[in-house]
Amino acid sequence: MIYLSIATTGIDPNKNRIYLINILENGRYRGLWGDPKTHREEILSLGNKEIITFNGEGFDLTFIAKKTDIQLTSFDMYRYLKGNKFYEGATSTKEWAKKLDLEDLPSVHRRLKVFKEYEQSGKGKEQLLQWGEQDIRLRQEIHKNIESWRKKYRRPLGEGFAELYSYRKRKDFFTFLYQGEEIPKIDLGFHPWEAKGEGEKLEIRFPVVEGYIAPGEKGKCIAYPLGDDGLVEDLQIIEKQGQMQKKKIQTIGLDLLHQIGLFL
């Protein structure tokens, strides 16, 4: 596993340059300084490893692909946090630095100013490398905290695990969404629910009937029709003031993995 980030002269990969690629592997930092094309072989070797980034899919890896034609993929912590409906907390490196009581990086403007001074005088490289190491070690700490938080949403499934990730409410269906490792191919149709999964994705879908809780009371309920098989019980989630009760959804969603486990 490696952590990766970059430092650039701007945000446009068509106009701006990468001047530093930060890599942290087995606790050791190395900075690939200068034009990434001069580090092509080392960048290619990263494709065989698990890469962890923070907005890497939208920035770091996009820049690297543009400058080197090397396509890398990563676990993007930023996308994970933004897409996870059960997560409520820091979603930027600045917020995480404050939460973890770690020193945040200087502003992009200040770092770019030092780089421009380096281009003119040759001074400042060590400072930029120091900031690069600080940046990538912050990402490592963020990842440790995310992984610790994720454990409470995971349950064993087949030879791997499934992690409750999100949910969707539609007029006729309520769907729990999971992701994980080695999810077996599932295509089960049990009234009143369906489970489908293959690879790294799993969905459990319920037909729903919407209605008011009681006359005059603000809010809605989602009533799940129950079958005679007794697979699902107590499936009523209350929605008030536009927000779902996430704790209730979480409890039901995790319990359903045990239900599926009976049939694998």
Side-chain angles (χ1 to χ4, degrees):
M1 176 189 298
I2 68 166
Y3 299 88
L4 181 147
S5 70
I6 64 174
T8 69
T9 59
I11 61 173
D12 188 345
N14 295 306
K15 298 179 180 179
N16 303 120
R17 293 175 288 149
I18 298 173
Y19 65 83
L20 176 62
I21 298 177
N22 302 302
I23 297 172
L24 187 67
E25 184 174 15
N26 297 324
R28 299 179 62 182
Y29 168 76
R30 64 183 186 273
L32 306 184
W33 183 265
D35 188 343
K37 290 180 181 178
T38 63
H39 304 285
R40 183 175 179 80
E41 292 303 316
E42 187 163 1
I43 295 171
L44 275 171
S45 71
L46 301 180
N48 300 320
K49 301 175 183 180
E50 181 184 3
I51 302 174
I52 311 296
T53 64
F54 198 96
N55 198 29
E57 300 299 318
F59 183 73
D60 307 77
L61 302 188
T62 300
F63 247 98
I64 289 174
K66 183 67 178 179
K67 301 304 181 184
T68 66
D69 292 324
I70 299 174
Q71 301 288 336
L72 299 173
T73 60
S74 72
F75 170 66
D76 188 330
M77 296 182 285
Y78 175 77
R79 286 196 175 185
Y80 172 83
L81 296 177
K82 294 293 285 186
N84 192 316
K85 282 197 175 182
F86 296 96
Y87 176 78
E88 295 177 348
T91 56
S92 70
T93 54
K94 190 176 186 68
E95 291 172 331
W96 271 105
K98 183 176 181 180
K99 178 180 178 178
L100 299 174
D101 197 26
L102 296 172
E103 183 180 358
D104 191 21
L105 285 172
S107 67
V108 174
H109 176 75
R110 182 181 174 192
R111 282 177 279 164
L112 188 54
K113 182 178 179 181
V114 172
F115 177 69
K116 289 180 178 178
E117 291 174 353
Y118 163 79
E119 290 190 303
Q120 293 176 355
S121 66
K123 298 179 180 180
K125 178 179 177 180
E126 291 304 315
Q127 178 64 80
L128 291 166
L129 286 168
Q130 181 181 334
W131 285 336
E133 181 173 0
Q134 180 184 337
D135 173 65
I136 203 67
R137 291 194 182 277
L138 171 60
R139 281 159 166 72
Q140 181 185 41
E141 292 304 312
I142 294 172
H143 184 239
K144 288 179 181 178
N145 278 264
I146 291 175
E147 287 302 294
S148 177
W149 178 85
R150 292 176 71 185
K151 288 180 181 178
K152 64 183 178 181
Y153 291 93
R154 290 177 179 173
R155 295 292 185 273
L157 184 64
E159 298 298 321
F161 68 86
E163 174 189 344
L164 181 59
Y165 180 71
S166 188
Y167 57 86
R168 290 197 296 259
K169 184 171 80 74
R170 298 291 186 265
K171 182 177 180 180
D172 300 320
F173 291 95
F174 188 94
T175 304
F176 291 95
L177 305 173
Y178 305 80
Q179 61 182 18
E181 294 180 352
E182 300 179 25
I183 290 178
K185 185 174 182 179
I186 301 171
D187 193 356
L188 306 176
F190 294 95
H191 180 75
W193 56 282
E194 295 179 351
K196 296 183 182 296
E198 186 172 9
E200 299 179 350
K201 302 294 180 184
L202 172 66
E203 294 189 8
I204 303 178
R205 188 171 71 169
F206 290 85
V208 302
V209 178
E210 293 186 290
Y212 288 100
I213 297 172
E217 186 173 351
K218 294 181 179 180
K220 294 181 179 180
C221 72
I222 301 176
Y224 295 88
L226 301 179
D228 297 331
D229 45 31
L231 291 175
V232 183
E233 298 178 357
D234 190 29
L235 287 177
Q236 188 177 44
I237 301 172
I238 300 173
E239 179 184 9
K240 291 184 177 180
Q241 299 177 351
Q243 291 187 344
M244 304 297 293
Q245 292 186 341
K246 293 183 181 180
K247 187 174 182 180
K248 182 84 169 182
I249 297 172
Q250 173 191 339
T251 300
I252 296 172
L254 292 175
D255 287 346
L256 287 173
L257 292 179
H258 293 295
Q259 302 274 7
I260 289 181
L262 296 175
F263 302 99
L264 294 182

